[in-house]
Amino acid sequence: MKRLDGAPKSIEPDWVWADAYRRAVESHSIVSITNRRGVIIYANDRFVEISGYSRDELVGADHSILNSGHHDAFFFKRLWQTIASGKNWTGEICNRAKDGSHYWVHTDIVPLSGTDETIDGYISVRRDITARKRTERELRRSEAFLRHVADVSGVGGWALDLQRQELYWSKHTKLIHEVEPDYKPELATAIDFYAPEARAAINHAVETAIDTGESWDLELPLITAKGNQIWVRAVGQPLIESGQTVSLIGAFQNITDRKVAEDVLRDEVASRHSAEQLLRDVLETIPDAVAAYDKEDRLIVCNSGYLETYAASRDAIRPGATFESILRHGLARGQYADVGADPEAQEAWLRDRLAQHREPPDQVVQRLRDGTWLQIREHKSGTGATVGVRTDVTSIKRAETQLRRYAEEDRLTQLMNRARFSADLDALLMRGLEPDTSQYSCLALFDIDHFKPINDAYGHDAGDEVLKAVGSRVRTILGPQDFAARLGGDEFVFVLQGYPSQAVCEARVAALFAAMEEPIAAGPTTVSVTLSLGLTKLRGMGQTTRMALKEADRAQYRAKEGGRAHWRWYEEADRLAEERDERLRRQLGSALTARDGVTFALQPIRSTADGGMIGFSGEMAWRHDGTDLDTRALLALGARANLTGDLCTRKLDVLLGQIGAHQARGIACGLIWLTMSAEQLRLGKLASKLLARASANHIDVSKLIIAVEESAFLERSSSAVESALKTIGDAGMALGIDGFGSAGVSLGVLKQLGVRAVRISPSRLANGLSGSDESGAAHRQVVAAAVAAAQAMDIAVFCADLSTCEEADMVSALGVTGLQGPCHRPTTCRSRPNRVSQPRSCRQARQHGAGDA
């Protein structure tokens, strides 16, 4: 050891100093030494004392004997990585003593290296910080308690940082000032809220606090941001550092009710002879229940409203009676709700109410057995009297309940609305579902088959009766944990949760379908309805509400494709189909952008009378990766891919451009049939786009037949489709219906819209039109019925997708105006290749004969 200048010449050896240092450290610290594997080889007395283990129990063990479970494995992994690398580690650890109690230590761990710099072991020096940790925990609990007290009491807080000149208001302080929650108070303008006569007093209080460190407690008039005049209690306290005030903090409370009550009492004292009668007169004019008790809690006076409010306690309410005796009288007669029948619970309630009365909070809400809700405001006057006002807030409470119902409930069916359902399903999926296979949950989505025709035939009142009946029948199959909603229109959804198996859930769904077999009274008639329903399993974490609804919707779509009136589960094949559709949607977007891949062609429409060409229909096709999509499939895919607008623009540009080019070469094209999707019609401004492109290509708009799939009239947005078609008809274009007879739309809709032509497709109505069996005959009857319906309204009928000449002959015999398809009679098709026949209405056909063109 190097001797310092001035030190004694005889210096003790180094080990003497080291031993003295060790004893000094060990007298206050918890010391242990381990080998490099973490096995304890030395434990001092403080270690033995705090852990409760004997030295023999500690030596030979590792520190896991003290593991409290408070820290995770990653905590200890990082600790060992640090010290194993030769670095010191410092931190706080919660250990468990032998008796199971927990204690905290501040720990320093130092690696012990040998001459070759390899780590031979570790020395740990700890300091007991359990008391400090307990203090920190109590401080956090106290802070939370103070925040809770502020919320319950309605007392606002404020703080002023003098150095930064920043002013802070708590939530309740802003409520008292009647400013918006995001209001930022400014020091220069905060004083303006006080009434003019009070500003000097508050200014003086603030300045005095800054200069002398003196607190203040003032009651002052204040004018809120909304112009309301109130009384507030303003309390301020300076915070001083190094003899200088650095900030001010305080509380803020609305004491208007107390000031009013005190004024009443002050008037009573000032007018000694008439005070009692005056007070009674004042009290009787107040519609609320008012009572005053002296400092001994004996009744001084009350109004008749107080007697009427507490009718069960009327016999006990008399001057001189204690508040407790009146309370017990009503309690014994069941006057108060939410008390319970258990004597101990009643006594606990009584103690709480007496405590509130002796130390009144800002307000108390009380419910009586007759359903009345009271807001109780009590305060202590300067003489120690307690003045209380009970306001009947039953109507407000009922309004709150009603508003809550409106916010969360479908008013027609009393099921949940979409927002409440989504919130509940979000919560269910967020907290996760039990992985236990004995717990099975699922979501079901359904709508009513052909609901729109019910509204059309019987009116919306009848439709509402159907919706209410369906909602009622859904409730009958729900269990205690299940919930259901009406999403809108005729679309419903419900969740079945916690069932033993999928089969049990299916039994519930089957019960709903069985319940729907009972006819529903709908206005002047009864109707029978069926459902198309899709099911998907709820899997918990990782599955969202949107995903679950989308999966159920996919399954429901398959149920509809299968003929409606049944249900389907979402399956792996559905997921694969969605992935395939997603690929197709992306590829369709690319194909439209690159302007290749999708083909647009004009398909001739031939007259059944003479084989002449009536006109053309604009068709689309796309073959990609072995998948063939025709016009109808492309319109549907475009809608799902949000490419409706792009597809529509491209279709009009190409097809009307082709017609214009033909006309420029002197080729008469006749009628032009263009099928548009419901989505294209809903885009808006379609009529103006058609007029613009027709004008650019010199096409007579009266030759355009703008058609929509018949199924569009069964969709929920059919009113928008009808409105768009009317706009197109008003622009001078003819209206058509594609897929006529496939959706059962009423003839009244066609007549109202002014439809001039329809197109049927035997392959879509039913396959096997030319079959000789009963099925073929039935199919022909379907086509005949569709043609007859159109003929009755003098509407031209075209037939598309004819696959055989036999089908063409059969359809021609039914009075169809024109034919489309790969099969035409060769002699007929070639006889007049350039002739364009004018389409005849059904009435003309009947008057002039089938051969008159």
Side-chain angles (χ1 to χ4, degrees):
M1 177 180 292
K2 182 178 180 181
R3 184 172 66 84
L4 302 176
D5 291 341
K9 292 184 178 180
S10 65
I11 299 178
E12 294 291 334
D14 290 352
W15 66 268
V16 175
W17 291 90
D19 184 63
Y21 179 74
R22 179 188 61 79
R23 283 185 282 109
V25 170
E26 291 203 5
S27 65
H28 297 286
S29 302
I30 304 161
V31 181
S32 67
I33 302 175
T34 70
N35 61 20
R36 62 184 178 184
R37 294 189 304 275
V39 177
I40 300 171
I41 60 176
Y42 171 75
N44 73 342
D45 293 340
R46 288 281 292 149
F47 194 0
V48 171
E49 177 186 348
I50 195 169
S51 69
Y53 290 98
S54 68
R55 187 170 280 103
D56 290 340
E57 290 175 312
L58 292 171
V59 174
D62 58 35
H63 279 86
S64 63
I65 193 174
L66 305 172
N67 193 336
S68 65
H70 180 82
H71 308 284
D72 58 19
F74 183 66
F75 174 86
F76 290 108
K77 181 180 179 181
R78 288 195 303 175
L79 183 155
W80 274 102
Q81 287 175 342
T82 301
I83 62 178
S85 66
K87 298 178 182 178
N88 297 350
W89 184 90
T90 300
E92 296 178 352
I93 300 179
C94 178
N95 286 334
R96 182 182 63 192
K98 185 176 181 179
D99 62 3
S101 62
H102 289 188
Y103 65 93
W104 281 85
V105 290
H106 181 278
T107 304
D108 290 287
I109 303 176
V110 179
L112 300 174
S113 301
T115 57
D116 58 353
E117 297 186 356
T118 60
I119 297 175
D120 296 330
Y122 306 94
I123 182 169
S124 301
V125 180
R126 304 174 183 84
R127 179 163 46 88
D128 184 4
I129 59 170
T130 306
R132 192 197 79 195
K133 283 289 188 177
R134 186 180 301 113
T135 301
E136 291 175 353
R137 186 168 58 253
E138 290 299 326
L139 179 59
R140 288 193 296 271
R141 186 180 296 119
S142 298
E143 290 174 347
F145 174 74
L146 288 175
R147 287 194 299 270
H148 180 67
V149 168
D151 289 339
V152 173
S153 65
V155 176
W158 61 269
L160 172 61
D161 188 325
L162 294 174
Q163 294 176 341
R164 299 182 179 180
Q165 292 292 293
E166 291 181 354
L167 181 60
Y168 163 77
W169 284 356
S170 71
K171 176 183 68 176
H172 290 293
T173 300
K174 292 179 181 179
L175 288 174
I176 293 172
H177 283 79
E178 294 188 325
V179 296
E180 297 298 324
D182 59 352
Y183 178 78
K184 296 185 182 301
E186 298 290 341
L187 180 60
T189 57
I191 199 76
D192 296 338
F193 282 95
Y194 289 94
E197 65 270 20
R199 293 170 188 170
I202 191 65
N203 267 325
H204 176 73
V206 172
E207 293 171 358
T208 302
I210 294 173
D211 294 339
T212 67
E214 182 179 344
S215 303
W216 75 85
D217 188 342
L218 301 174
E219 295 180 356
L220 302 170
L222 182 138
I223 303 173
T224 71
K226 296 182 179 180
N228 295 318
Q229 297 184 2
I230 63 173
W231 277 86
V232 296
R233 180 183 179 188
V235 179
Q237 171 76 43
L239 296 182
I240 300 174
E241 293 181 3
S242 302
Q244 184 178 2
T245 303
V246 295
S247 62
L248 302 174
I249 62 171
F252 210 73
Q253 184 179 22
N254 186 340
I255 59 170
T256 306
D257 292 339
R258 178 168 67 78
K259 295 292 288 185
V260 170
E262 287 176 354
D263 289 345
V264 172
L265 292 178
R266 192 177 300 111
D267 291 342
E268 191 256 343
V269 172
S271 306
R272 176 171 298 187
H273 296 292
S274 60
E276 184 176 351
Q277 186 58 47
L278 177 61
L279 177 60
R280 290 187 180 279
D281 290 344
V282 171
L283 293 179
E284 290 303 323
T285 62
I286 298 175
D288 300 328
V290 182
Y293 290 82
D294 63 18
K295 61 182 180 180
E296 302 297 331
D297 255 355
R298 297 185 181 277
L299 181 65
I300 301 171
V301 66
C302 68
N303 64 355
S304 57
Y306 192 81
L307 294 171
E308 293 169 1
T309 298
Y310 295 108
S313 302
R314 181 185 289 269
D315 295 342
I317 301 174
R318 56 183 182 277
T322 64
F323 180 74
E324 182 177 352
S325 67
I326 296 173
L327 208 60
R328 287 189 178 277
H329 192 86
L331 188 60
R333 284 155 182 76
Q335 182 166 247
Y336 307 101
D338 305 325
V339 176
D342 181 69
E344 292 184 1
Q346 292 184 356
E347 284 297 320
W349 179 89
L350 184 67
R351 287 193 301 271
D352 289 343
R353 182 66 189 96
L354 288 172
Q356 293 168 346
H357 180 73
R358 296 183 184 115
E359 297 292 336
D362 184 56
Q363 67 178 25
V364 175
V365 178
Q366 184 181 80
R367 187 161 69 96
L368 303 183
R369 184 68 66 181
D370 63 1
T372 301
W373 285 88
L374 300 175
Q375 182 187 70
I376 302 175
R377 293 181 177 271
E378 297 176 312
H379 71 268
K380 294 281 188 182
S381 71
T383 61
T386 301
V387 179
V389 178
R390 277 88 171 155
T391 303
D392 188 337
V393 293
T394 307
S395 60
I396 296 176
K397 283 290 184 180
R398 288 174 179 168
E400 289 176 354
T401 302
Q402 191 67 20
L403 285 173
R404 192 177 301 111
R405 287 184 58 194
Y406 286 157
E408 299 178 350
E409 183 181 275
D410 173 56
R411 297 174 66 179
L412 184 64
T413 63
Q414 281 75 58
L415 298 175
M416 291 179 178
N417 60 16
R418 179 186 288 271
R420 171 64 188 281
F421 178 85
S422 296
D424 281 13
L425 184 54
D426 283 344
L428 174 63
L429 295 176
M430 282 296 292
R431 67 174 177 262
L433 299 172
E434 292 293 334
D436 184 359
T437 55
S438 64
Q439 297 291 313
Y440 196 92
S441 301
C442 66
L443 178 143
L445 176 74
F446 72 86
D447 57 23
I448 302 170
D449 296 331
H450 307 303
F451 178 69
K452 187 177 183 299
I454 296 176
N455 275 334
D456 293 343
Y458 306 112
H460 287 283
D461 288 343
D464 287 349
E465 292 300 318
V466 172
L467 294 174
K468 286 191 285 188
V470 171
S472 176
R473 296 179 189 186
V474 168
R475 279 193 292 272
T476 63
I477 61 103
L478 298 180
Q481 298 185 83
D482 305 337
F483 52 96
R486 177 183 170 223
L487 299 181
D490 63 318
E491 190 174 23
F492 293 78
V493 65
F494 59 87
V495 167
L496 304 176
Q497 60 171 317
Y499 286 90
S501 66
Q502 176 178 323
V504 177
C505 291
E506 291 178 351
R508 293 269 173 166
V509 175
L512 174 62
F513 273 71
M516 297 310 302
E517 294 176 1
E518 180 71 23
I520 297 172
T525 186
T526 59
V527 296
S528 295
V529 299
T530 59
L531 311 177
S532 293
L533 183 146
L535 284 160
T536 187
K537 181 180 179 181
L538 295 179
R539 303 180 294 277
M541 296 301 289
Q543 184 184 32
T544 65
T545 294
R546 184 174 179 273
M547 288 169 57
L549 288 172
K550 185 177 179 182
E551 291 171 2
D553 183 68
R554 180 76 183 192
Q556 182 197 37
Y557 180 76
R558 286 201 301 113
K560 290 181 177 180
E561 281 189 324
R564 302 179 184 264
H566 62 288
W567 48 273
R568 288 285 185 269
W569 280 97
Y570 180 79
E571 299 170 347
E572 178 66 13
D574 294 310
R575 186 185 64 80
L576 295 175
E578 286 179 353
E579 292 178 355
R580 184 185 65 250
D581 277 0
E582 181 61 30
R583 288 194 302 272
L584 282 173
R585 287 193 289 268
R586 291 196 300 268
Q587 293 160 355
L588 176 59
S590 300
L592 286 174
T593 302
R595 294 178 173 263
D596 61 6
V598 179
T599 60
F600 300 83
L602 297 172
Q603 186 180 89
I605 304 174
R606 300 286 183 175
S607 170
T608 57
D610 60 4
M613 190 172 65
I614 295 174
F616 294 94
S617 68
E619 305 297 337
M620 301 183 294
W622 184 42
R623 181 174 179 81
H624 189 76
D625 289 344
T627 302
D628 290 312
L629 290 90
D630 59 9
T631 298
R632 183 166 176 258
L634 273 172
L635 289 176
L637 181 60
R640 295 198 301 273
N642 294 322
L643 293 170
T644 297
D646 295 339
L647 198 60
C648 177
T649 300
R650 183 87 174 118
K651 176 180 179 179
L652 294 181
D653 286 344
V654 174
L655 294 177
L656 295 185
Q658 291 177 3
I659 293 294
H662 288 332
Q663 291 183 157
R665 293 196 299 270
I667 301 174
C669 295
L671 298 177
I672 306 163
W673 176 284
L674 295 174
T675 298
M676 313 301 289
S677 70
E679 288 74 15
Q680 289 170 340
L681 291 171
R682 288 196 294 267
L683 285 177
K685 300 183 179 179
L686 180 59
S688 60
K689 290 180 181 179
L690 286 163
L691 290 172
R693 283 162 176 76
S695 175
N697 291 284
H698 307 290
I699 298 173
D700 182 359
V701 294
S702 66
K703 300 295 186 180
L704 295 179
I705 302 177
I706 308 303
V708 67
E709 288 281 345
E710 183 178 3
S711 58
F713 295 96
L714 298 180
E715 297 181 4
R716 298 181 181 87
S717 58
S718 58
S719 58
V721 172
E722 293 177 13
S723 176
L725 287 175
K726 186 177 185 304
T727 302
I728 291 171
D730 292 342
M733 290 168 270
L735 301 182
I737 301 296
D738 212 348
F740 180 66
S742 61
V745 172
S746 67
L747 295 176
V749 173
L750 305 186
K751 183 176 182 181
Q752 180 181 0
L753 290 173
V755 171
R756 289 170 51 190
V758 297
R759 187 165 72 169
I760 61 175
S761 175
S763 63
R764 287 172 56 188
L765 291 173
N767 291 324
L769 182 68
S770 58
S772 58
D773 56 4
E774 294 182 359
S775 175
H779 299 157
R780 289 191 291 274
Q781 289 177 0
V782 170
V783 176
V787 173
Q791 288 176 339
M793 304 205 43
D794 197 32
I795 295 173
V797 182
F798 303 139
C799 186
D801 302 331
L802 293 169
S803 58
T804 67
C805 293
E806 289 76 10
E807 285 184 347
D809 291 340
M810 290 179 183
V811 172
S812 298
L814 297 174
V816 171
T817 308
L819 302 177
Q820 285 181 270
C823 180
H824 299 288
R825 291 296 183 186
T827 55
T828 303
C829 296
R830 289 194 296 267
S831 59
R832 299 177 178 87
N834 294 319
R835 175 182 176 183
V836 177
S837 300
Q838 294 299 315
R840 297 168 301 127
S841 69
C842 297
R843 184 177 296 111
Q844 289 172 328
R846 289 192 296 269
Q847 289 174 347
H848 301 292
D852 185 8

